[in-house]
Amino acid sequence: MSTAKKVNGRVTIPDIAARKGGKPVVSLTAYTYPMARILDPHVDFLLVGDSMGVVLYGLETTHGVTLEMTIAHGASVVRGTEHACVIVDMPFGSYQESPEQAFRNAARIISETGCSGIKIEGGEEMAETVRFLIKRGIPVMGHIGLKPQSVNVAGGYRSQGRDDNGAKQIMEDARAISDAGAFAIVIEAVVEPLARAITEAIPTVTIGIGASPACDGQVLVTEDAIGMFADFTPKFVKRFAEVGEGIGQAAADYAAQVTAGTFPAPEHCYHKK
Ligand code: KIV
C-alpha cells in the first residue's frame, strides 16, 4: 500500500509535488467506480485518462472523447476512491483554443467530478495556458513526448526524442511546462536517456510511461497492465496479470453450466419457508 502523506484522507497535489527525487510516485489509469475501488489503496494518484476512448469505448484514437464522457467517468472514479488523488485528462478540443476555454472546461471538470487536478497535453505552446489555470486555482499535470491527441500531426504513435532536434524540443517543452508551474509532468514514449536527463534537469516531478526508471514516478494504462486490453500492447507495457483470460474462462464455465442445467443450483434459488 502507498504510504504517501494524507490530508483529509486523500493524497493531495502538494504531496505528489513533494515527491521529487523521493519515493517513486505510483499511478494507474481508472475510468470506472469498481476499478477505482480496487486500485485506490495501491496508488498515489489515479488518472482518468482520455485513453478511455480507445480502451473502454473501442475508438481508434482519443479524439472522440467528450467533456461529458470525461466528467461522467471522472465523477465515478472520485466516488470509488478515498485514498488516491484523482487527476482527470482534459479531452481533445476542450483546452487548446485559449486559456479562457481551458479554464472554463477545467473548472467544470473539477466542480462536477470532485477531482483534485487536470492533465493537459503539450509543451511550450501550452505553457501560457498552464500558467493561466494555476493562477486561477486549477492544479495542472503536463504531458510531453508522445502526445496521443496530436497523433495526426505526428503521423503515428512513435517513440520520441530519437534525433537531436526532437530531443532538444522535448527538453524545452519540459522546462516550459515546469516553469509554468505544473505540479507533475507525464513523459510518454521518450528515449530513456532523455527522460532521465529531463528528470534531472527540472524541479518538477516526472511521471514516466515508456520513459525511464529514473522518472519520479510511473503510470500505466491499467487494462494494458492486467491483460484486459489485447488489441495493441506497446513495448513499454508489462503484463502484471492475465485478467482477460480469467474473465473469458469464467464466461465459458458459466455458459457450460447454464447449457448443462447445473446453474442455477438449489442454493442460488429462493425457497418457500
Ligand atoms: O490517457 C491516458 O491514459 C494517459 C496516460 C497514458 C498517461 O494520458
Side-chain angles (χ1 to χ4, degrees), residues 22-110:
K23 185 173 171 232
V25 177
V26 178
S27 176
L28 286 164
T29 59
Y31 318 121
T32 64
Y33 173 85
M35 188 65 90
R37 289 200 56 164
I38 293 168
L39 303 178
D40 183 43
H42 307 288
V43 298
D44 297 303
F45 75 89
L46 283 175
L47 175 65
V48 186
D50 64 350
S51 51
M52 76 170 75
V54 178
V55 174
L56 213 55
Y57 287 87
L59 301 172
E60 212 165 299
T61 69
T62 58
H63 293 142
V65 176
T66 65
L67 200 57
E68 281 63 37
M69 287 157 73
T70 298
I71 289 171
H73 286 283
S76 75
V77 168
V78 170
R79 286 194 292 272
T81 51
E82 51 188 42
H83 159 78
C85 185
V86 178
I87 306 300
V88 175
D89 235 352
M90 292 193 71
F92 179 64
S94 72
Y95 62 93
Q96 290 93 342
E97 192 180 323
S98 65
E100 288 79 6
Q101 182 214 24
F103 179 78
R104 212 165 32 249
N105 290 326
R108 264 197 75 190
I109 291 173
I110 301 250

Coordinates of all heavy atoms in Angstrom, one line a residue, residues 22-110:
G22 N 12.2 11.5 -4.5 CA 12.0 10.7 -3.3 C 11.4 9.4 -3.7 O 11.7 8.8 -4.7
K23 N 10.5 8.9 -2.8 CA 9.9 7.6 -3.1 C 9.1 7.7 -4.4 O 8.3 8.6 -4.5 CB 8.9 7.3 -1.9 CG 8.3 5.9 -2.0 CD 7.6 5.7 -0.7 CE 6.7 4.4 -0.8 NZ 5.4 4.6 -0.5
P24 N 9.3 6.8 -5.3 CA 8.6 6.9 -6.6 C 7.0 7.0 -6.5 O 6.4 6.3 -5.6 CB 9.0 5.6 -7.3 CG 10.3 5.2 -6.7 CD 10.2 5.6 -5.3
V25 N 6.5 7.8 -7.3 CA 5.0 8.0 -7.3 C 4.4 6.9 -8.1 O 4.9 6.6 -9.2 CB 4.7 9.4 -7.9 CG1 3.1 9.6 -8.0 CG2 5.3 10.6 -7.2
V26 N 3.4 6.3 -7.5 CA 2.7 5.1 -8.2 C 1.4 5.6 -8.8 O 0.5 6.1 -8.0 CB 2.5 4.0 -7.2 CG1 1.8 2.8 -7.9 CG2 3.8 3.5 -6.6
S27 N 1.2 5.3 -10.0 CA -0.1 5.7 -10.6 C -0.6 4.7 -11.7 O 0.2 4.0 -12.3 CB 0.0 7.1 -11.3 OG -1.2 7.4 -12.0
L28 N -1.9 4.6 -11.8 CA -2.6 3.8 -12.9 C -3.7 4.6 -13.4 O -4.2 5.5 -12.7 CB -3.0 2.4 -12.3 CG -2.0 1.4 -12.0 CD1 -2.5 0.3 -11.1 CD2 -1.4 0.8 -13.3
T29 N -4.3 4.2 -14.5 CA -5.5 4.8 -15.0 C -6.7 4.1 -14.4 O -6.6 2.9 -14.0 CB -5.6 4.7 -16.5 OG1 -5.6 3.3 -16.9 CG2 -4.5 5.4 -17.2
A30 N -7.8 4.8 -14.3 CA -9.1 4.2 -13.9 C -10.2 5.1 -14.6 O -10.0 6.3 -14.7 CB -9.3 4.2 -12.4
Y31 N -11.2 4.4 -15.1 CA -12.3 5.1 -15.7 C -13.6 4.8 -15.0 O -14.6 5.4 -15.4 CB -12.5 4.6 -17.2 CG -11.2 4.4 -17.9 CD1 -10.8 3.2 -18.5 CD2 -10.3 5.5 -18.1 CE1 -9.6 3.0 -19.2 CE2 -9.1 5.3 -18.8 CZ -8.8 4.1 -19.3 OH -7.6 3.9 -20.0
T32 N -13.7 3.8 -14.1 CA -14.9 3.4 -13.5 C -14.8 3.2 -12.0 O -13.7 3.0 -11.5 CB -15.4 2.0 -14.1 OG1 -14.5 1.0 -13.7 CG2 -15.6 2.1 -15.6
Y33 N -16.0 3.3 -11.4 CA -16.1 3.1 -9.9 C -15.5 1.8 -9.4 O -14.7 1.8 -8.5 CB -17.6 3.3 -9.5 CG -17.9 3.0 -8.1 CD1 -17.8 4.0 -7.1 CD2 -18.4 1.8 -7.7 CE1 -18.1 3.7 -5.8 CE2 -18.7 1.5 -6.4 CZ -18.5 2.5 -5.4 OH -18.8 2.2 -4.1
P34 N -15.9 0.6 -10.0 CA -15.4 -0.6 -9.4 C -13.9 -0.7 -9.6 O -13.2 -1.2 -8.7 CB -16.1 -1.7 -10.2 CG -16.7 -1.1 -11.4 CD -16.9 0.4 -11.1
M35 N -13.3 -0.3 -10.7 CA -11.9 -0.4 -10.9 C -11.2 0.6 -9.9 O -10.2 0.3 -9.3 CB -11.5 0.0 -12.4 CG -10.1 -0.3 -12.7 SD -9.6 -2.0 -12.6 CE -9.9 -2.6 -14.2
A36 N -11.8 1.8 -9.8 CA -11.2 2.8 -8.8 C -11.1 2.2 -7.4 O -10.1 2.3 -6.7 CB -12.0 4.1 -8.8
R37 N -12.2 1.5 -7.0 CA -12.2 0.9 -5.7 C -11.1 -0.1 -5.5 O -10.5 -0.2 -4.4 CB -13.6 0.2 -5.4 CG -14.6 1.3 -5.2 CD -15.8 0.8 -4.5 NE -15.4 0.2 -3.2 CZ -16.3 -0.1 -2.2 NH1 -17.5 0.2 -2.4 NH2 -15.9 -0.6 -1.1
I38 N -10.9 -0.9 -6.5 CA -9.8 -2.0 -6.4 C -8.4 -1.3 -6.4 O -7.6 -1.8 -5.6 CB -9.9 -2.9 -7.6 CG1 -11.2 -3.7 -7.6 CG2 -8.7 -3.9 -7.7 CD1 -11.5 -4.5 -8.9
L39 N -8.2 -0.3 -7.2 CA -6.9 0.3 -7.3 C -6.5 1.2 -6.2 O -5.3 1.4 -5.9 CB -6.7 1.0 -8.7 CG -7.0 0.1 -9.9 CD1 -6.9 1.0 -11.2 CD2 -6.0 -1.0 -10.0
D40 N -7.5 1.9 -5.6 CA -7.3 3.0 -4.7 C -6.3 2.8 -3.6 O -5.4 3.7 -3.4 CB -8.7 3.4 -4.1 CG -8.6 4.6 -3.2 OD1 -8.0 5.6 -3.5 OD2 -9.2 4.5 -2.1
P41 N -6.3 1.7 -2.9 CA -5.3 1.6 -1.8 C -3.8 1.4 -2.3 O -2.9 1.6 -1.5 CB -5.7 0.2 -1.1 CG -6.9 -0.2 -1.7 CD -7.1 0.5 -3.0
H42 N -3.6 1.2 -3.6 CA -2.3 0.8 -4.1 C -1.6 1.9 -4.8 O -0.4 1.8 -5.2 CB -2.4 -0.4 -5.0 CG -3.1 -1.5 -4.3 ND1 -2.5 -2.3 -3.3 CD2 -4.4 -2.0 -4.5 CE1 -3.4 -3.2 -2.9 NE2 -4.5 -3.0 -3.6
V43 N -2.2 3.0 -5.1 CA -1.6 4.1 -5.9 C -1.7 5.4 -5.2 O -2.5 5.6 -4.3 CB -2.4 4.2 -7.2 CG1 -2.3 3.0 -8.0 CG2 -3.8 4.7 -7.0
D44 N -0.8 6.3 -5.6 CA -0.8 7.7 -5.1 C -1.8 8.5 -5.8 O -2.5 9.4 -5.3 CB 0.6 8.3 -5.2 CG 1.6 7.6 -4.4 OD1 1.4 7.5 -3.2 OD2 2.6 7.1 -5.0
F45 N -1.9 8.3 -7.2 CA -3.0 9.0 -7.9 C -3.5 8.1 -9.0 O -2.8 7.3 -9.5 CB -2.6 10.4 -8.4 CG -1.7 10.4 -9.6 CD1 -2.2 10.4 -10.9 CD2 -0.3 10.5 -9.5 CE1 -1.3 10.4 -12.0 CE2 0.6 10.5 -10.6 CZ 0.0 10.5 -11.9
L46 N -4.8 8.3 -9.2 CA -5.5 7.6 -10.4 C -5.7 8.6 -11.4 O -6.1 9.8 -11.2 CB -6.8 7.0 -9.9 CG -6.8 5.7 -9.1 CD1 -8.2 5.3 -8.7 CD2 -6.1 4.6 -9.9
L47 N -5.4 8.2 -12.7 CA -5.6 9.1 -13.8 C -6.8 8.7 -14.6 O -6.8 7.5 -15.1 CB -4.3 9.1 -14.7 CG -4.4 9.9 -16.0 CD1 -4.5 11.4 -15.7 CD2 -3.2 9.6 -16.9
V48 N -7.8 9.6 -14.7 CA -8.9 9.3 -15.6 C -8.5 9.7 -17.0 O -8.7 10.9 -17.4 CB -10.2 10.0 -15.1 CG1 -11.4 9.6 -15.9 CG2 -10.4 9.7 -13.6
G49 N -7.7 8.8 -17.7 CA -7.1 9.2 -18.9 C -8.1 9.2 -20.1 O -9.1 8.5 -20.1
D50 N -7.8 10.0 -21.1 CA -8.6 10.0 -22.3 C -8.4 8.7 -23.1 O -9.0 8.5 -24.1 CB -8.5 11.3 -23.1 CG -7.1 11.5 -23.7 OD1 -6.2 10.7 -23.3 OD2 -7.0 12.4 -24.5
S51 N -7.4 7.9 -22.6 CA -7.2 6.6 -23.2 C -8.5 5.8 -23.1 O -8.7 4.8 -23.7 CB -6.1 5.9 -22.5 OG -6.2 5.9 -21.1
M52 N -9.5 6.3 -22.2 CA -10.8 5.6 -22.1 C -11.4 5.5 -23.5 O -12.2 4.5 -23.7 CB -11.7 6.4 -21.1 CG -12.3 7.7 -21.8 SD -13.5 8.4 -20.8 CE -12.6 9.2 -19.5
G53 N -11.2 6.4 -24.4 CA -11.8 6.4 -25.7 C -11.5 5.1 -26.4 O -12.3 4.5 -27.1
V54 N -10.2 4.7 -26.3 CA -9.7 3.6 -27.0 C -10.0 2.3 -26.2 O -10.5 1.3 -26.7 CB -8.2 3.7 -27.3 CG1 -7.6 2.5 -28.0 CG2 -7.9 5.0 -28.1
V55 N -9.7 2.3 -24.9 CA -9.7 1.1 -24.1 C -11.1 0.8 -23.7 O -11.5 -0.4 -23.8 CB -8.9 1.4 -22.8 CG1 -9.0 0.2 -21.8 CG2 -7.4 1.6 -23.2
L56 N -12.0 1.8 -23.4 CA -13.3 1.5 -22.9 C -14.4 1.5 -24.0 O -15.3 0.8 -24.0 CB -13.6 2.5 -21.8 CG -14.5 2.1 -20.7 CD1 -13.9 0.9 -20.0 CD2 -14.6 3.3 -19.7
Y57 N -14.2 2.5 -25.0 CA -15.2 2.7 -26.0 C -14.8 2.1 -27.3 O -15.6 2.2 -28.3 CB -15.4 4.2 -26.1 CG -16.2 4.8 -25.0 CD1 -15.6 5.2 -23.8 CD2 -17.6 4.9 -25.0 CE1 -16.3 5.8 -22.8 CE2 -18.3 5.4 -23.9 CZ -17.6 5.9 -22.8 OH -18.3 6.4 -21.8
G58 N -13.6 1.6 -27.5 CA -13.2 0.9 -28.8 C -13.0 1.9 -29.9 O -13.1 1.6 -31.1
L59 N -12.8 3.2 -29.5 CA -12.5 4.2 -30.6 C -11.1 4.0 -31.1 O -10.2 3.4 -30.4 CB -12.6 5.6 -30.0 CG -14.0 6.0 -29.5 CD1 -14.0 7.3 -28.8 CD2 -15.1 6.0 -30.6
E60 N -10.8 4.5 -32.3 CA -9.5 4.3 -32.9 C -8.4 5.3 -32.2 O -7.3 4.9 -32.1 CB -9.5 4.6 -34.4 CG -8.6 3.7 -35.1 CD -8.9 3.7 -36.6 OE1 -10.0 3.3 -37.0 OE2 -8.1 4.2 -37.4
T61 N -8.9 6.5 -31.9 CA -8.0 7.4 -31.2 C -8.7 8.0 -30.0 O -9.9 7.7 -29.8 CB -7.6 8.6 -32.2 OG1 -8.8 9.4 -32.4 CG2 -7.1 8.1 -33.5
T62 N -8.0 8.9 -29.3 CA -8.7 9.6 -28.2 C -9.5 10.8 -28.6 O -10.2 11.4 -27.7 CB -7.6 10.1 -27.2 OG1 -6.7 11.0 -27.8 CG2 -6.8 8.9 -26.6
H63 N -9.6 11.1 -29.9 CA -10.2 12.3 -30.3 C -11.7 12.3 -30.1 O -12.3 13.4 -30.0 CB -10.0 12.5 -31.8 CG -8.5 12.8 -32.1 ND1 -7.8 12.4 -33.2 CD2 -7.6 13.5 -31.4 CE1 -6.6 12.8 -33.2 NE2 -6.4 13.5 -32.0
G64 N -12.4 11.2 -30.0 CA -13.8 11.1 -29.8 C -14.3 11.3 -28.4 O -15.5 11.3 -28.1
V65 N -13.3 11.4 -27.5 CA -13.7 11.6 -26.0 C -14.3 13.0 -25.8 O -13.6 14.0 -26.2 CB -12.5 11.3 -25.1 CG1 -12.9 11.5 -23.7 CG2 -12.0 9.9 -25.3
T66 N -15.4 13.1 -25.2 CA -16.0 14.4 -25.0 C -15.9 14.8 -23.5 O -15.6 14.0 -22.6 CB -17.6 14.3 -25.3 OG1 -18.2 13.4 -24.3 CG2 -17.8 13.8 -26.7
L67 N -16.2 16.1 -23.3 CA -16.2 16.6 -21.9 C -17.2 15.9 -21.1 O -17.0 15.6 -19.9 CB -16.5 18.1 -22.0 CG -16.1 18.9 -20.8 CD1 -14.6 18.8 -20.5 CD2 -16.5 20.4 -21.0
E68 N -18.4 15.5 -21.7 CA -19.4 14.9 -20.9 C -19.0 13.5 -20.5 O -19.2 13.0 -19.3 CB -20.7 14.8 -21.7 CG -21.5 16.1 -21.8 CD -20.8 17.2 -22.4 OE1 -20.0 17.0 -23.4 OE2 -20.9 18.3 -21.9
M69 N -18.3 12.7 -21.4 CA -17.8 11.4 -21.0 C -16.8 11.5 -19.9 O -16.8 10.8 -18.9 CB -17.1 10.7 -22.3 CG -18.1 10.2 -23.3 SD -17.2 10.1 -24.9 CE -16.2 8.7 -24.7
T70 N -15.9 12.5 -20.1 CA -14.8 12.7 -19.1 C -15.4 13.0 -17.7 O -14.9 12.4 -16.7 CB -14.0 13.9 -19.6 OG1 -13.4 13.6 -20.9 CG2 -12.9 14.3 -18.6
I71 N -16.4 13.8 -17.7 CA -17.0 14.2 -16.4 C -17.7 13.0 -15.8 O -17.5 12.7 -14.6 CB -17.9 15.4 -16.6 CG1 -17.0 16.7 -16.8 CG2 -18.8 15.6 -15.3 CD1 -17.8 17.9 -17.2
A72 N -18.4 12.3 -16.6 CA -19.2 11.1 -16.0 C -18.2 10.1 -15.5 O -18.3 9.6 -14.3 CB -20.0 10.5 -17.1
H73 N -17.1 9.8 -16.2 CA -16.1 8.8 -15.7 C -15.3 9.4 -14.5 O -15.0 8.6 -13.6 CB -15.2 8.3 -16.8 CG -15.9 7.4 -17.8 ND1 -16.2 6.1 -17.5 CD2 -16.5 7.6 -19.0 CE1 -16.8 5.5 -18.5 NE2 -17.1 6.5 -19.4
G74 N -15.0 10.6 -14.6 CA -14.2 11.3 -13.5 C -15.0 11.2 -12.2 O -14.4 10.9 -11.2
A75 N -16.2 11.5 -12.3 CA -17.1 11.5 -11.1 C -17.2 10.1 -10.5 O -17.1 9.9 -9.3 CB -18.4 12.1 -11.3
S76 N -17.3 9.1 -11.3 CA -17.4 7.7 -10.8 C -16.1 7.3 -10.2 O -16.1 6.6 -9.2 CB -17.9 6.8 -11.9 OG -16.9 6.5 -12.8
V77 N -15.0 7.7 -10.7 CA -13.7 7.3 -10.1 C -13.5 8.1 -8.8 O -13.0 7.5 -7.8 CB -12.5 7.7 -11.1 CG1 -11.2 7.6 -10.4 CG2 -12.6 6.7 -12.3
V78 N -13.9 9.3 -8.7 CA -13.8 10.0 -7.4 C -14.6 9.3 -6.4 O -14.2 9.1 -5.3 CB -14.2 11.5 -7.6 CG1 -14.3 12.2 -6.2 CG2 -13.1 12.3 -8.4
R79 N -15.8 8.9 -6.8 CA -16.7 8.2 -5.8 C -16.1 6.8 -5.4 O -16.4 6.4 -4.3 CB -18.1 7.9 -6.4 CG -19.0 9.2 -6.5 CD -20.4 8.8 -6.8 NE -20.6 8.3 -8.2 CZ -20.8 9.0 -9.3 NH1 -20.9 10.3 -9.2 NH2 -21.0 8.4 -10.4
G80 N -15.2 6.3 -6.2 CA -14.6 5.0 -5.9 C -13.3 5.1 -5.1 O -12.7 4.1 -4.9
T81 N -12.9 6.3 -4.7 CA -11.6 6.4 -4.1 C -11.8 7.1 -2.7 O -12.7 8.0 -2.6 CB -10.7 7.3 -4.9 OG1 -11.4 8.5 -5.3 CG2 -10.2 6.6 -6.1
E82 N -11.0 6.8 -1.8 CA -10.9 7.5 -0.5 C -9.4 7.9 -0.2 O -9.2 8.8 0.6 CB -11.5 6.8 0.6 CG -11.1 5.4 0.8 CD -11.9 4.7 1.9 OE1 -13.1 4.9 1.9 OE2 -11.3 4.0 2.7
H83 N -8.5 7.2 -0.9 CA -7.1 7.4 -0.6 C -6.4 8.2 -1.7 O -5.7 9.2 -1.5 CB -6.4 6.1 -0.4 CG -4.9 6.1 -0.6 ND1 -4.0 6.6 0.4 CD2 -4.1 5.8 -1.6 CE1 -2.8 6.6 0.0 NE2 -2.8 6.0 -1.3
A84 N -6.5 7.7 -2.9 CA -5.8 8.3 -4.0 C -6.2 9.7 -4.5 O -7.4 10.0 -4.4 CB -5.9 7.3 -5.2
C85 N -5.3 10.5 -4.9 CA -5.6 11.7 -5.6 C -6.1 11.3 -7.0 O -5.7 10.4 -7.6 CB -4.3 12.5 -5.7 SG -4.3 14.1 -6.4
V86 N -7.1 12.1 -7.4 CA -7.7 11.8 -8.8 C -7.4 12.9 -9.7 O -7.7 14.1 -9.4 CB -9.2 11.5 -8.7 CG1 -9.7 11.2 -10.1 CG2 -9.5 10.3 -7.8
I87 N -6.8 12.6 -10.8 CA -6.4 13.6 -11.9 C -7.2 13.2 -13.1 O -7.2 12.0 -13.5 CB -4.9 13.6 -12.2 CG1 -4.1 13.7 -10.9 CG2 -4.6 14.6 -13.3 CD1 -4.3 15.0 -10.2
V88 N -7.8 14.2 -13.8 CA -8.7 13.9 -14.9 C -8.0 14.6 -16.2 O -7.7 15.8 -16.2 CB -10.1 14.4 -14.7 CG1 -10.9 14.3 -16.0 CG2 -10.8 13.7 -13.5
D89 N -8.0 13.8 -17.2 CA -7.4 14.3 -18.5 C -8.4 15.2 -19.2 O -9.6 14.8 -19.3 CB -7.3 13.0 -19.4 CG -5.9 12.9 -20.0 OD1 -5.0 13.8 -19.8 OD2 -5.6 11.8 -20.6
M90 N -8.0 16.3 -19.7 CA -8.9 17.2 -20.5 C -8.9 16.6 -21.9 O -7.9 16.4 -22.5 CB -8.4 18.6 -20.4 CG -8.6 19.2 -19.1 SD -8.4 21.0 -19.0 CE -9.9 21.5 -19.8
P91 N -10.1 16.4 -22.4 CA -10.2 15.8 -23.8 C -9.8 16.8 -24.9 O -9.8 18.0 -24.7 CB -11.7 15.4 -23.9 CG -12.4 16.3 -22.9 CD -11.5 16.6 -21.8
F92 N -9.5 16.2 -26.0 CA -9.1 16.9 -27.2 C -10.2 18.0 -27.6 O -11.4 17.7 -27.6 CB -9.0 15.9 -28.4 CG -8.7 16.5 -29.7 CD1 -7.4 17.1 -29.9 CD2 -9.6 16.5 -30.8 CE1 -7.1 17.7 -31.1 CE2 -9.2 17.1 -32.0 CZ -8.0 17.7 -32.2
G93 N -9.7 19.2 -27.8 CA -10.6 20.3 -28.2 C -11.2 21.0 -27.0 O -11.9 22.0 -27.3
S94 N -10.9 20.6 -25.8 CA -11.5 21.3 -24.7 C -10.6 22.3 -24.0 O -11.0 23.0 -23.1 CB -12.0 20.3 -23.6 OG -10.9 19.7 -23.0
Y95 N -9.4 22.5 -24.5 CA -8.5 23.4 -23.9 C -7.5 24.1 -24.8 O -6.8 25.1 -24.5 CB -7.7 22.7 -22.8 CG -6.8 21.6 -23.3 CD1 -5.4 21.8 -23.6 CD2 -7.3 20.3 -23.4 CE1 -4.6 20.7 -24.0 CE2 -6.5 19.2 -23.8 CZ -5.2 19.5 -24.2 OH -4.4 18.4 -24.6
Q96 N -7.3 23.6 -26.0 CA -6.3 24.1 -26.9 C -6.6 25.5 -27.5 O -5.7 26.2 -27.9 CB -6.0 23.1 -28.1 CG -5.4 21.8 -27.7 CD -6.4 20.7 -27.4 OE1 -7.6 21.0 -27.1 NE2 -5.9 19.5 -27.4
E97 N -7.8 25.9 -27.5 CA -8.2 27.1 -28.2 C -7.7 28.4 -27.5 O -7.2 29.3 -28.2 CB -9.8 27.2 -28.3 CG -10.3 28.2 -29.2 CD -11.8 28.2 -29.2 OE1 -12.4 27.1 -29.1 OE2 -12.4 29.3 -29.2
S98 N -7.8 28.4 -26.2 CA -7.4 29.6 -25.5 C -7.3 29.2 -24.0 O -8.0 28.3 -23.5 CB -8.3 30.7 -25.6 OG -9.6 30.4 -25.1
P99 N -6.5 30.0 -23.2 CA -6.5 29.8 -21.8 C -7.9 29.9 -21.1 O -8.3 29.2 -20.2 CB -5.6 30.9 -21.2 CG -4.7 31.2 -22.4 CD -5.5 31.0 -23.6
E100 N -8.7 30.8 -21.7 CA -10.1 31.0 -21.2 C -10.9 29.8 -21.4 O -11.7 29.3 -20.5 CB -10.8 32.2 -21.8 CG -10.2 33.6 -21.4 CD -8.9 33.9 -22.1 OE1 -8.4 33.2 -23.0 OE2 -8.3 35.0 -21.7
Q101 N -10.8 29.2 -22.6 CA -11.6 28.0 -22.9 C -11.1 26.9 -21.9 O -11.9 26.1 -21.4 CB -11.4 27.5 -24.3 CG -12.2 26.3 -24.7 CD -11.5 25.4 -25.7 OE1 -10.3 25.4 -25.8 NE2 -12.3 24.6 -26.4
A102 N -9.8 26.8 -21.8 CA -9.2 25.8 -20.9 C -9.8 25.9 -19.4 O -10.1 25.0 -18.8 CB -7.7 25.8 -20.9
F103 N -9.8 27.2 -19.0 CA -10.3 27.4 -17.6 C -11.7 27.0 -17.4 O -12.1 26.4 -16.5 CB -10.1 28.9 -17.2 CG -10.6 29.1 -15.8 CD1 -9.9 28.8 -14.7 CD2 -11.9 29.6 -15.6 CE1 -10.4 28.9 -13.4 CE2 -12.4 29.8 -14.3 CZ -11.6 29.4 -13.2
R104 N -12.6 27.5 -18.4 CA -14.0 27.2 -18.4 C -14.2 25.6 -18.2 O -15.0 25.2 -17.4 CB -14.7 27.7 -19.6 CG -16.1 28.2 -19.5 CD -16.6 29.0 -20.6 NE -16.0 28.7 -21.9 CZ -15.2 29.5 -22.6 NH1 -14.8 30.6 -22.1 NH2 -14.8 29.1 -23.8
N105 N -13.5 24.9 -19.1 CA -13.8 23.4 -19.1 C -13.1 22.7 -17.9 O -13.6 21.8 -17.4 CB -13.3 22.9 -20.4 CG -14.3 23.3 -21.5 OD1 -15.5 23.4 -21.3 ND2 -13.7 23.5 -22.7
A106 N -11.9 23.2 -17.5 CA -11.2 22.6 -16.4 C -12.1 22.9 -15.1 O -12.2 22.0 -14.2 CB -9.8 23.2 -16.2
A107 N -12.6 24.0 -15.0 CA -13.5 24.4 -13.8 C -14.7 23.4 -13.8 O -15.1 23.0 -12.7 CB -13.9 25.8 -13.9
R108 N -15.3 23.2 -14.9 CA -16.4 22.2 -15.0 C -15.9 20.8 -14.5 O -16.6 20.2 -13.7 CB -16.9 22.1 -16.4 CG -18.1 22.9 -16.7 CD -18.8 22.5 -17.9 NE -19.6 21.3 -17.7 CZ -20.2 20.6 -18.7 NH1 -20.0 21.0 -20.0 NH2 -20.9 19.5 -18.4
I109 N -14.8 20.4 -15.0 CA -14.3 19.0 -14.6 C -14.1 19.0 -13.1 O -14.5 18.0 -12.4 CB -13.0 18.7 -15.4 CG1 -13.3 18.5 -16.9 CG2 -12.3 17.5 -14.8 CD1 -12.1 18.3 -17.8
I110 N -13.4 20.0 -12.6 CA -13.1 20.0 -11.1 C -14.5 20.0 -10.3 O -14.7 19.3 -9.4 CB -12.2 21.2 -10.7 CG1 -10.9 21.1 -11.5 CG2 -12.1 21.3 -9.2 CD1 -9.7 20.8 -10.7

